[in-house]
Amino acid sequence: MTTNTKCTFQITGWDEKTYQEIEGSAKLSLAKVTQSYSGAIEGTSSIEYLMAYSVHGTATFVGLERVSGTVDGKTGTFVLQHVGSFSEGKARSSWSIVPGSGTGALANLRGKGNYVAGHGEPAEVLFAYSFEPNA
Protein backbone atom coordinates (compact mmCIF):
# COMPACT_ATOMS: atom_id res chain seq x y z
CA MET A 1 0.00 0.00 0.00
CA THR A 2 1.43 3.37 -1.07
CA THR A 3 1.21 6.35 1.26
CA ASN A 4 1.10 9.81 -0.36
CA THR A 5 2.29 12.53 1.98
CA LYS A 6 4.42 15.66 2.33
CA CYS A 7 7.50 16.77 4.19
CA THR A 8 9.83 19.74 4.13
CA PHE A 9 13.57 20.15 4.00
CA GLN A 10 15.86 23.05 4.79
CA ILE A 11 19.38 23.29 3.39
CA THR A 12 21.84 23.54 6.27
CA GLY A 13 25.08 23.62 4.28
CA TRP A 14 26.21 24.21 0.68
CA ASP A 15 29.78 23.86 -0.60
CA GLU A 16 30.03 24.13 -4.39
CA LYS A 17 33.22 24.02 -6.42
CA THR A 18 33.65 24.46 -10.17
CA TYR A 19 35.72 21.69 -11.68
CA GLN A 20 35.55 22.75 -15.33
CA GLU A 21 35.02 26.13 -17.00
CA ILE A 22 33.34 26.01 -20.42
CA GLU A 23 33.66 28.72 -23.05
CA GLY A 24 31.06 31.48 -22.69
CA SER A 25 30.70 31.32 -18.86
CA ALA A 26 29.14 27.86 -18.68
CA LYS A 27 30.64 25.49 -16.12
CA LEU A 28 30.51 22.09 -14.44
CA SER A 29 30.48 21.96 -10.65
CA LEU A 30 30.16 19.63 -7.69
CA ALA A 31 27.98 20.73 -4.77
CA LYS A 32 28.17 19.02 -1.38
CA VAL A 33 24.96 19.80 0.50
CA THR A 34 23.48 18.99 3.92
CA GLN A 35 19.79 19.22 4.80
CA SER A 36 17.35 18.68 7.64
CA TYR A 37 13.92 17.10 7.10
CA SER A 38 10.65 17.40 9.01
CA GLY A 39 7.23 15.88 8.47
CA ALA A 40 6.88 12.49 6.77
CA ILE A 41 10.69 12.23 6.82
CA GLU A 42 12.34 13.29 10.09
CA GLY A 43 16.11 13.47 9.96
CA THR A 44 19.17 14.77 8.15
CA SER A 45 20.89 14.11 4.85
CA SER A 46 24.01 14.69 2.81
CA ILE A 47 23.95 15.07 -0.99
CA GLU A 48 26.46 15.36 -3.78
CA TYR A 49 25.10 17.10 -6.89
CA LEU A 50 26.91 17.20 -10.24
CA MET A 51 25.73 20.40 -11.92
CA ALA A 52 26.01 21.70 -15.49
CA TYR A 53 25.40 25.45 -15.80
CA SER A 54 24.51 27.05 -19.13
CA VAL A 55 25.69 30.47 -20.30
CA HIS A 56 22.19 31.73 -19.35
CA GLY A 57 22.60 30.85 -15.67
CA THR A 58 20.25 27.85 -15.76
CA ALA A 59 21.48 24.44 -14.67
CA THR A 60 20.71 20.77 -14.77
CA PHE A 61 21.82 18.39 -12.04
CA VAL A 62 21.96 14.81 -10.88
CA GLY A 63 22.66 13.73 -7.35
CA LEU A 64 22.76 11.05 -4.71
CA GLU A 65 21.44 11.84 -1.24
CA ARG A 66 21.82 9.68 1.86
CA VAL A 67 19.02 10.29 4.34
CA SER A 68 19.33 9.24 7.99
CA GLY A 69 16.15 9.37 10.00
CA THR A 70 12.62 8.15 10.48
CA VAL A 71 9.76 7.40 8.08
CA ASP A 72 6.42 6.21 9.47
CA GLY A 73 7.97 5.62 12.90
CA LYS A 74 10.74 3.41 11.42
CA THR A 75 14.39 4.41 11.71
CA GLY A 76 17.32 3.81 9.38
CA THR A 77 18.95 5.24 6.27
CA PHE A 78 18.22 5.22 2.53
CA VAL A 79 19.58 6.79 -0.65
CA LEU A 80 17.70 9.06 -3.07
CA GLN A 81 18.66 9.50 -6.73
CA HIS A 82 17.89 13.03 -8.02
CA VAL A 83 17.41 14.46 -11.51
CA GLY A 84 16.62 18.15 -11.68
CA SER A 85 17.04 21.63 -13.05
CA PHE A 86 17.47 25.21 -11.88
CA SER A 87 15.90 28.22 -13.59
CA GLU A 88 14.06 31.42 -12.66
CA GLY A 89 15.43 31.20 -9.11
CA LYS A 90 13.93 27.76 -8.41
CA ALA A 91 15.38 24.26 -8.19
CA ARG A 92 13.10 21.45 -9.36
CA SER A 93 13.91 17.82 -8.71
CA SER A 94 12.30 14.43 -9.08
CA TRP A 95 13.82 11.62 -7.10
CA SER A 96 13.40 7.97 -6.27
CA ILE A 97 14.66 5.76 -3.48
CA VAL A 98 17.49 3.57 -4.76
CA PRO A 99 16.25 -0.04 -4.39
CA GLY A 100 18.26 -1.98 -1.83
CA SER A 101 19.79 1.15 -0.28
CA GLY A 102 17.74 1.08 2.93
CA THR A 103 19.16 0.05 6.30
CA GLY A 104 17.64 -0.78 9.66
CA ALA A 105 13.86 -0.59 9.79
CA LEU A 106 13.92 1.24 6.41
CA ALA A 107 15.50 -1.69 4.54
CA ASN A 108 12.27 -2.36 2.62
CA LEU A 109 11.39 1.31 1.92
CA ARG A 110 10.48 2.15 -1.68
CA GLY A 111 9.26 5.47 -3.02
CA LYS A 112 9.59 8.61 -5.07
CA GLY A 113 9.10 12.32 -4.66
CA ASN A 114 9.58 15.78 -6.10
CA TYR A 115 9.98 19.37 -5.03
CA VAL A 116 10.32 22.97 -6.17
CA ALA A 117 12.61 25.04 -3.93
CA GLY A 118 13.48 28.73 -3.86
CA HIS A 119 16.75 30.07 -2.49
CA GLY A 120 16.95 29.97 1.31
CA GLU A 121 13.38 28.88 1.96
CA PRO A 122 12.14 25.52 3.25
CA ALA A 123 11.06 23.27 0.37
CA GLU A 124 7.87 21.23 0.40
CA VAL A 125 8.35 17.69 -0.89
CA LEU A 126 5.59 15.48 -2.26
CA PHE A 127 6.51 11.95 -1.15
CA ALA A 128 4.92 8.60 -2.07
CA TYR A 129 6.28 5.54 -0.28
CA SER A 130 5.60 1.97 0.69
CA PHE A 131 7.29 -0.79 2.63
CA GLU A 132 7.71 -3.78 0.35
CA PRO A 133 7.62 -7.19 1.99
CA ASN A 134 10.83 -9.20 1.48
CA ALA A 135 12.25 -6.58 -0.87
Side-chain angles (χ1 to χ4, degrees):
M1 175 181 190
T2 299
T3 300
N4 293 297
T5 189
K6 297 178 183 178
C7 60
T8 59
F9 72 80
Q10 179 71 49
I11 293 173
T12 56
W14 186 283
D15 180 26
E16 185 174 346
K17 293 190 176 21
T18 298
Y19 64 88
Q20 188 170 13
E21 297 283 343
I22 302 170
E23 187 176 328
S25 298
K27 65 181 179 178
L28 300 176
S29 69
L30 169 66
K32 295 183 180 188
V33 181
T34 55
Q35 297 181 162
S36 62
Y37 279 89
S38 60
I41 300 171
E42 290 282 341
T44 60
S45 72
S46 60
I47 311 161
E48 290 198 7
Y49 288 122
L50 290 174
M51 306 175 73
Y53 286 89
S54 75
V55 296
H56 306 292
T58 61
T60 59
F61 59 87
V62 295
L64 292 173
E65 174 179 8
R66 185 162 191 241
V67 179
S68 177
T70 304
V71 176
D72 202 16
K74 299 176 182 185
T75 301
T77 67
F78 56 94
V79 175
L80 303 176
Q81 178 178 326
H82 289 262
V83 176
S85 63
F86 177 83
S87 63
E88 300 172 350
K90 302 274 185 188
R92 295 160 182 80
S93 179
S94 294
W95 50 259
S96 58
I97 296 172
V98 175
S101 68
T103 67
L106 300 178
N108 295 337
L109 181 64
R110 301 293 182 265
K112 61 185 178 178
N114 62 74
Y115 66 82
V116 176
H119 182 69
E121 60 190 41
E124 184 175 85
V125 178
L126 300 177
F127 179 40
Y129 70 92
S130 62
F131 289 94
E132 300 297 325
N134 303 317

